[in-house]
Amino acid sequence: MIKFTIRHNKQSHPIYDYIVRNVGDYCEYNNDDFDVCLFGLDCHMMHESYPSMFSRVMNDKKYLIYLEHFGCAERDYVGIDTAVFDSIINNDNFCGFMTHIEDSREKLEQWFDHPVFQFNVGVDNVSDKFLYDKMEKLPVKEDITLMFWGSWCDPYNSNFGGRGGHKVDEICCRLMGEFDNVRLIVKSGRPLACERFGRTERYANYVSHKELCGLHMKSDIFMLPAEQVHASTVPFAMSFGLPVLGNNKWGMSDYLTHGVDSLVYEDDQNYVEKSVAGIRELILERDKLRDMSVESLKTQRRKFSSDKHDLELYSILRKFV
């Protein structure tokens, strides 16, 4: 039996929770009886507390580092020129990096001599019957519901701006002023300007996974004009057949294809205008919205399904047993 463990600087995270439930013969958080350790790091949070997290492992067992939010091309920003990082990777037991973003893989291979393994984040498939029934009703559906999730777990809403919340608010104000049938479901502890239209369903506190699934089923378009792709958020939205509003920032091209399963625009001074025009077209041409929804679901099933993720990740980890 191959035994894995995960060490992470948070109590819980959807990507690692999924790995613990589904990958390998035996895998759990912070277990001391293991063959290979997967360290999950927010790379931009590299600081002096990390040696304590590594100390029980790095001199005894093999380990890899999964750079969860490697979303910037500048070495000094992500903290990889520090003595802390050097001590972690310059160790005989360090096996390499893992990432879910092609741009990150290229940078890591450019900067380091260590192996870099890329895999796609996977999510569970939703029932076909529910999804296709929903999609077939899109052409005659009265309301169109947009969705923005500031963060799955952040009570302080520090991710609101980084995920593009201010742009989302402006886009929704424009669309709600133009259409009486546009609604918004949003996770945010802060009020939005578009709430003045009376068609915003805002959740300020924790939402369970079951509730989150129900809210995705009610939605038609997912909005994420973020500073970088969020690896679990995008495939999860696509698993419900939601086209995604994105941009050309870090990692987005790995997940989204403009005009097929998503709307992707350059993040410049005209971003809001282009986004409003793109969503307006989908509101007015419902067959196009339905087709994009179907393609979004196909993308998730083809590239980001849980089965594919399990096989990719397991094949990487077992190399070091």
Side-chain angles (χ1 to χ4, degrees), residues 7 18 38 50 159 182 196 198 207 210 221 251 264 313 316:
R7 301 286 168 85
Y18 180 85
L38 177 62
Y50 277 114
N159 288 335
V182 172
R196 70 179 186 269
V207 175
K210 183 177 181 180
I221 299 172
V264 182
L313 185 57
I316 293 171

Side-chain angles (χ1 to χ4, degrees), residues 164-229:
H166 301 293
K167 293 187 179 81
V168 166
D169 196 8
E170 187 175 352
I171 292 167
C172 289
C173 283
R174 296 272 300 276
L175 290 169
M176 288 180 176
E178 184 176 349
F179 297 99
D180 293 333
N181 62 338
V182 172
R183 310 183 67 84
L184 173 67
I185 292 176
V186 58
K187 168 67 166 63
S188 172
R190 65 177 73 188
L192 280 73
C194 64
E195 290 184 54
R196 70 179 186 269
F197 292 96
R199 285 174 266 134
T200 297
E201 191 175 332
R202 181 164 62 87
Y203 295 83
N205 300 311
Y206 175 77
V207 175
S208 71
H209 179 75
K210 183 177 181 180
E211 291 174 307
L212 186 60
C213 290
L215 294 174
H216 277 73
M217 281 297 293
K218 289 169 56 177
S219 302
D220 302 304
I221 299 172
F222 192 86
M223 308 174 76
L224 189 70
E227 291 299 315
Q228 62 183 23
V229 72

